Amino acid sequence: MKSVNGINWKENNIPERLILKNKQKYNISYLLSKIFIDKKYSEEEIHNSIYKIQQKEIIYKNPDFADAAEFIFDCYKNKKKILIFGDYDVDGYSSVYLLYDFLSNLDINCNYFIPNRLLDGYGPNKLLLEKLINNNNYDLIIFVDCGSNSVEEIKYLEDNGLKTIIIDHHQIHEQKTFKKTILINPLKNVKDKQFFSFCATSLVYFFIKYLITTLKTNHNIDLNKYLFFSAIATICDQMSMRGNNKSIVINGLNNFKFNNFKNFNKLLNLKNRLMVTDISFSLGPILNSAGRLGYSDLPINLLIDKNKLNIDKISEKLIFLNDKRKKIQSKTFQLLNKNLVNSKMEVIFNYKDNINEGLLGIIAANLVELYNKPSFILTNSGNLIKCSSRSVHGFDIGNIFYLAIKKKIILKGGGHAMAAGCVLEKDKLNDFKKFLNFVYNKNFKKIENNKFYISEQKIDSLLIFAKQDFQKLEPFGNYNTSPLFLVRNNKIVKFKIIKDSHLQLIIKKKDNKFYLGFAFNVIGTKLGYLLMNSKKKIDLIVQINNKIIKNNSEFNLIIKDAIV
């Protein structure tokens, strides 16, 4: 079935005998059994999901912890000064906050720095480091959520007599050995894949636990609070939500009360317990908006400040910036999507002058969501071009950017398999596009643009599933996405545009009953146009809105696509 967005939707066919076997074995519904099989849940995962078993504590001892701890101990013992350098997103802010909070509790003299996305760019560079270390008498610099490929910058620091610790989770292009530098990155050990999906904050959390044991001091450190921030960063960095990460999120949110961290009180007005969606759709975007618009220091100042007036003032500024970001993003997305050429044989590659650099990645993510294709959004930045990209499974853009560097197509770049960024010369724009499409055709030429839904369902059956089984699948995230369903013969009877980007819809079922639906970031798209203008009944691809369903009136669906 072809959708309005050009995606071929198919039911994920699973042998009936396997579904019935699991249904009987675990005494669960047919639909839940099918979803468990579809997601390839292990027996342990199924058991933990059904019975909500307390997640076990994760034991992680990176082999580089010991050498890095020696650097920290030297600063602790000899009153030396540390600089913590982090990235301008939730994972970066959280990593910096944990380290700063911990080291300050040990009375270690330390400062922190978050680069300005628009002025400094991503990660360290020599010019920036020269400004930071000049007359500051630092002995140790700790890079968090960046630095794995900063070879020249690390050499510069070592030449100036500084030690360095890098705590990062991004792909490593080439492993180098330095005399005074320790790299803590699970990707160094290709054999131990169970820890590949940790975010930087989780690595910092485990490193701090190691330091507490090694230094034989805890100074009233609240490890539940630190785990809570690891959970937030795992969610916001869109890490895999299986195995260890799922345990981190469940334990992090369960073991620490959100309201105990007063600095967040103005950002989220919670009536019920904190949920993953509160973080991924509210808290995370608010914190990240500051960095996107050139106010990178605000979130870390919010986390660290203890003065209520300052906290309230920063919170109000962050909320204002997030609202501003939404408006700019909506207009930019609609402009880019309007002129989009979506060829079957090409990636989505869209260059436009003077786009806000901080919004490139989030717009690329919107386009991947719509068209199920790797998306590259580019704009001018001084004399260069900056690109941010998001991908689909099987198209490793982090590795592809590394190949582009080796071929001298781009100047620098990196990230993950699913999200990456790069910088290139203006005269290399067409070469870059040709290279990406060459790799795409090599890997995807014979692959149809397919996506899969679990099964065709009626609204009443989805309501029952939402009340009884849906929460057994939580928390949702990468590799554990909320299941998709096909619902036929829907009649849109009323719609309302929300904040120039989204749709709220009243939808009529076969039995003349109505339900509520939402479609996000669809204004200016073919899907949005269809939902607002169709006079006929249409078949929809939907997800259950991830919230606690107590009454029928609370039930609503998120519309992801429509069958043409």
Side-chain angles (χ1 to χ4, degrees):
M1 298 182 298
K2 197 96 169 179
S3 82
V4 68
N5 290 328
I7 297 170
N8 298 309
W9 283 98
K10 298 181 178 182
E11 181 173 351
N12 205 351
N13 290 318
I14 295 170
E16 182 83 1
R17 60 179 180 81
L18 294 180
I19 301 172
L20 294 174
K21 181 181 176 182
N22 261 19
K23 178 180 181 295
Q24 184 177 16
K25 182 177 180 178
Y26 298 108
N27 191 26
I28 55 178
S29 69
Y30 181 93
L31 184 53
L32 185 60
S33 174
K34 185 175 184 181
I35 293 170
F36 280 152
I37 296 169
D38 174 66
K39 294 183 180 296
K40 298 181 173 61
Y41 267 37
S42 66
E43 287 199 10
E44 183 182 8
E45 285 181 297
I46 292 173
H47 192 263
N48 289 346
S49 298
I50 294 170
Y51 300 108
K52 293 295 178 185
I53 303 298
Q54 175 69 26
Q55 300 294 304
K56 62 184 179 184
E57 184 180 0
I58 302 163
I59 306 298
Y60 176 64
K61 291 182 180 178
N62 187 288
D64 295 301
F65 281 174
D67 290 334
E70 286 295 324
F71 285 5
I72 301 291
F73 183 70
D74 181 48
C75 293
Y76 175 60
K77 183 180 177 182
N78 298 305
K79 304 295 182 185
K80 293 179 179 179
K81 195 174 179 182
I82 298 174
L83 174 67
I84 308 163
F85 185 113
D87 190 21
Y88 37 63
D89 65 4
V90 171
D91 194 19
Y93 296 134
S94 300
S95 298
V96 172
Y97 170 63
L98 263 60
L99 271 177
Y100 183 82
D101 188 69
F102 175 73
L103 296 176
S104 297
N105 271 292
L106 295 181
D107 294 322
I108 294 177
N109 187 1
C110 61
N111 290 334
Y112 59 86
F113 179 79
I114 305 287
N116 185 302
R117 182 195 292 260
L118 307 182
L119 299 177
D120 304 317
Y122 169 77
N125 62 70
K126 285 188 193 176
L127 188 63
L128 181 57
L129 291 175
E130 187 179 347
K131 291 178 184 176
L132 290 171
I133 67 174
N134 190 30
N135 299 322
N136 270 309
N137 198 31
Y138 293 119
D139 183 79
L140 173 65
I141 295 186
I142 306 175
F143 293 104
V144 288
D145 200 27
C146 61
S148 284
N149 298 300
S150 301
V151 176
E152 293 302 317
E153 290 79 7
I154 300 305
K155 186 176 183 302
Y156 168 78
L157 291 174
E158 288 202 352
D159 289 344
N160 280 273
L162 280 84
K163 297 174 184 175
T164 306
I165 298 172
I166 301 166
I167 306 176
D168 192 21
H169 66 137
H170 291 95
Q171 290 177 342
I172 304 168
H173 294 162
E174 294 178 10
Q175 292 199 34
K176 301 283 185 180
T177 302
F178 294 96
K179 293 179 181 178
K180 301 177 184 177
T181 296
I182 306 299
L183 171 60
I184 296 170
N185 187 327
L187 299 182
K188 282 175 68 176
N189 184 0
V190 294
K191 294 180 180 178
D192 199 1
K193 293 186 177 181
Q194 64 168 317
F195 302 117
F196 271 19
S197 61
F198 279 155
C199 65
T201 310
S202 293
L203 295 172
V204 170
Y205 167 77
F206 290 114
F207 182 48
I208 288 173
K209 287 185 72 175
Y210 181 87
L211 288 172
I212 289 172
T213 304
T214 305
L215 297 174
K216 296 178 181 177
T217 178
N218 61 28
H219 281 67
N220 297 316
I221 299 300
D222 187 352
L223 282 172
N224 282 333
K225 181 177 75 171
Y226 288 1
L227 187 62
F228 171 72
F229 275 93
S230 296
I232 289 176
T234 298
I235 294 162
C236 293
D237 230 41
Q238 298 183 20
M239 306 309 294
S240 169
M241 200 59 74
R242 299 288 287 274
N244 290 324
N245 279 346
K246 192 170 185 178
S247 296
I248 286 171
V249 170
I250 291 172
N251 290 340
L253 300 190
N254 287 345
N255 297 348
F256 182 79
K257 291 184 179 178
F258 178 80
N259 291 332
N260 286 353
F261 191 71
K262 304 295 182 185
N263 302 44
F264 280 159
N265 283 0
K266 263 191 173 295
L267 299 185
L268 279 185
N269 184 21
L270 291 178
K271 295 179 180 177
N272 299 307
R273 66 178 175 87
L274 180 70
M275 298 185 67
V276 169
T277 47
D278 296 317
I279 295 167
S280 56
F281 294 119
S282 296
L283 181 64
I286 291 171
L287 295 174
N288 280 334
S289 287
R292 297 186 189 283
L293 299 182
Y295 295 85
S296 303
D297 58 334
L298 281 181
I300 187 62
N301 291 341
L302 174 75
L303 300 182
I304 288 170
D305 211 308
K306 291 178 170 58
N307 182 287
K308 189 179 183 305
L309 287 176
N310 291 342
I311 291 168
D312 288 350
K313 193 179 292 185
I314 296 171
S315 298
E316 288 167 5
K317 179 73 171 178
L318 287 171
I319 292 168
F320 167 78
L321 289 172
N322 190 45
D323 289 338
K324 183 178 179 181
R325 185 269 307 170
K326 288 178 183 177
K327 291 173 184 176
I328 299 171
Q329 179 186 330
S330 177
K331 290 179 181 177
T332 306
F333 171 76
Q334 290 175 40
L335 175 67
L336 292 176
N337 189 57
K338 183 179 180 182
N339 301 315
L340 185 71
V341 177
N342 185 12
S343 166
K344 181 181 179 181
M345 305 303 291
E346 295 185 347
V347 300
I348 293 172
F349 188 95
N350 207 326
Y351 173 86
K352 186 77 176 173
D353 284 332
N354 303 320
I355 301 174
N356 183 300
E357 292 175 26
L359 300 179
L360 299 179
I362 201 168
I363 290 169
N366 290 157
L367 292 171
V368 172
E369 177 79 9
L370 266 181
Y371 301 111
N372 195 37
K373 295 179 71 174
S375 296
F376 302 79
I377 307 301
L378 308 93
T379 194
N380 56 306
S381 179
N383 296 321
L384 300 171
I385 289 175
K386 282 191 178 179
C387 168
S388 193
S389 58
R390 299 294 183 269
S391 194
V392 295
H393 293 294
F395 194 74
D396 185 340
I397 50 178
N399 187 55
I400 289 165
F401 280 9
Y402 173 59
L403 295 176
I405 293 171
K406 300 293 281 185
K407 291 178 177 290
K408 301 189 184 306
I409 296 171
I410 62 177
L411 296 173
K412 61 179 182 177
H416 305 286
M418 302 288 283
C422 70
V423 177
L424 60 150
E425 301 276 5
K426 289 185 177 180
D427 61 2
K428 292 289 187 179
L429 189 64
N430 286 331
D431 290 343
F432 187 40
K433 183 178 181 180
K434 287 178 183 177
F435 173 71
L436 293 171
N437 284 324
F438 169 77
V439 179
Y440 182 72
N441 277 294
K442 188 177 178 181
N443 290 281
F444 284 79
K445 188 173 183 180
K446 296 180 181 179
I447 299 175
E448 292 292 324
N449 189 5
N450 295 331
K451 287 186 82 171
F452 296 87
Y453 59 90
I454 289 294
S455 61
E456 180 180 336
Q457 295 289 328
K458 295 180 179 179
I459 297 299
D460 291 340
S461 63
L462 288 183
L463 174 59
I464 294 169
F465 180 75
K467 286 181 175 181
Q468 296 178 357
D469 289 333
F470 187 62
Q471 289 179 49
K472 292 170 184 171
L473 298 166
E474 292 180 325
F476 294 114
N478 261 336
Y479 297 96
N480 190 45
T481 55
S482 180
L484 294 156
F485 305 98
L486 171 67
V487 178
R488 293 193 183 275
N489 299 315
N490 302 274
K491 175 72 174 171
I492 312 294
V493 295
K494 192 176 181 181
F495 69 85
K496 181 171 73 174
I497 297 175
I498 303 172
K499 295 184 178 179
D500 300 321
S501 298
H502 320 298
L503 285 174
Q504 182 186 74
L505 304 133
I506 304 296
I507 304 170
K508 188 177 181 181
K509 302 186 294 180
K510 272 184 178 180
D511 57 5
N512 291 325
K513 292 181 180 178
F514 300 89
Y515 71 93
L516 189 64
F518 293 92
F520 296 109
N521 299 304
V522 294
I523 299 302
T525 69
K526 292 179 181 178
L527 176 59
Y529 182 84
L530 178 69
L531 294 174
M532 290 188 289
N533 292 280
S534 178
K535 305 298 180 186
K536 300 178 180 179
K537 291 181 178 179
I538 50 178
D539 299 339
L540 299 174
I541 301 293
V542 302
Q543 289 174 321
I544 296 169
N545 200 348
N546 186 17
K547 59 185 286 188
I548 299 170
I549 307 295
K550 293 181 179 177
N551 305 310
N552 289 3
S553 60
E554 294 176 324
F555 173 76
N556 61 86
L557 298 176
I558 299 171
I559 297 165
K560 307 298 289 186
D561 209 346
I563 307 303
V564 181

